[in-house]
Amino acid sequence: MRYWLVVPAAGSGQSYGGDQPKQYAQLAGRTVLEWALAPFAADSRCVGRVLVTAPGDERWRALPGCAGGAILNVPGGIERVHSVCNALRAVAGCAGPQEWVLVHDAARPCLLRADLDRLLAAGAAHPVGALLAVALSDTLKRAGEGAEVDATVARGGLWRALTPQMFRLGMLTTALDAALAAGRVPTDESQALEWQGLRPLLVPGSAANLKITGAADLALAEAYLTRCDALP
Ligand code: CTP
Ligand code: MG
């Protein structure tokens, strides 16, 4: 099994704030981006890495965690989906349509190696592909006016979608292109395939694989990274 890695890191981190985008925030001795790349640097199944950064952003080049093995760099687009599409065009210059692509957010620094292994094993055996996800455990409320509860939503069958998400290059490119051509903006790769009538596989992953959104998430990620042996 071999795969290409696509890491979208071209966001500006509006909800995070701060003086630089969250992928460059310091976390346990390195940047969030370096932690996000770490599990793949040690994985011989990963045959190429494409990093998507904002046009003109050269900060990643100076990071030790971005050295050691070539990284293809492409400019990002307006939304995450545009950034991923730019990366897929670069991958298509080196890989055939049947090859696997893993898309992993630069803002997720705590991917467990065991989760990556489980995703790859399950995804490679599935006709469509797969994504890491966490089944919901809290009781869900739908808010009405003034944040008062309108209703409790049944949580059976509901999952939170994480990354990596793994799909074949050809199928994923076709799905994303079709979505954009129809004027629809998917918020993850799976959604574009779902719009094609396909059914990606949900692979249970650890909730440690959080996406840095606000400053509190950095503290939580730091706790995971310094206390969990299974992390890179
Ligand atoms: N991303 C990207 N290109 C964009 C938007 C987002 O490559 N045009 C990347 C981000 O850098 C991040 C991942 O997609 O690694 C997930 O996006 P998100 O968490 O929404 O990050 P931001 O878009 O940077 O944050 P915000 O939405 O708060 O501005
Ligand atoms: Mg965003």
Side-chain angles (χ1 to χ4, degrees):
M1 196 279 160
R2 48 178 260 163
Y3 65 89
W4 287 78
L5 175 68
V6 166
V7 174
S12 57
Q14 293 300 315
S15 352
Y16 179 74
D19 49 6
Q20 59 183 349
K22 59 193 180 186
Q23 56 271 32
Y24 291 113
Q26 281 295 321
L27 168 64
R30 24 179 170 165
T31 59
V32 168
L33 170 62
E34 289 172 281
W35 284 113
L37 289 168
F40 305 98
D43 186 2
S44 59
R45 294 164 295 190
C46 178
V47 292
R49 299 177 290 169
V50 183
L51 177 66
V52 194
T53 51
D57 177 8
E58 299 288 332
R59 281 171 280 197
W60 64 276
R61 291 187 195 277
L63 302 175
C66 295
I71 289 186
L72 225 63
N73 180 226
V74 302
I78 307 244
E79 301 288 347
R80 183 181 175 283
V81 61
H82 303 109
S83 296
V84 171
C85 283
N86 289 353
L88 295 182
R89 274 192 283 279
V91 176
C94 322
Q98 289 304 316
E99 296 226 35
W100 289 107
V101 177
L102 262 67
V103 181
H104 184 53
D105 290 331
R108 292 188 191 272
C110 302
L111 170 62
L112 276 77
R113 287 186 298 264
D115 280 4
L116 175 59
D117 287 343
R118 209 154 1 86
L119 173 72
L120 289 170
H126 192 272
V128 177
L131 59 146
L132 286 178
V134 177
L136 293 184
S137 55
D138 297 310
T139 298
L140 295 185
K141 304 294 183 190
R142 176 170 292 117
E145 302 243 328
E148 288 171 342
V149 175
D150 255 0
T152 296
V153 180
R155 69 162 181 249
L158 292 182
W159 295 66
R160 293 190 293 117
L162 314 176
T163 71
Q165 303 202 354
M166 68 179 283
F167 297 105
R168 292 189 187 274
L169 174 63
M171 220 188 256
L172 178 57
T173 305
T174 302
L176 294 178
D177 286 350
L180 292 176
R184 303 208 276 184
V185 176
T187 53
D188 68 353
E189 288 62 51
S190 177
Q191 190 174 28
L193 286 137
E194 294 154 34
W195 286 339
Q196 301 267 98
L198 297 166
R199 297 165 63 88
L201 180 68
L202 293 162
V203 178
S206 166
N209 182 11
L210 79 177
K211 189 172 75 166
I212 303 292
T213 303
D217 299 316
L218 266 190
L220 199 51
E222 176 131 16
Y224 282 131
L225 287 168
T226 50
R227 295 201 194 145
C228 179
D229 288 344
L231 287 161

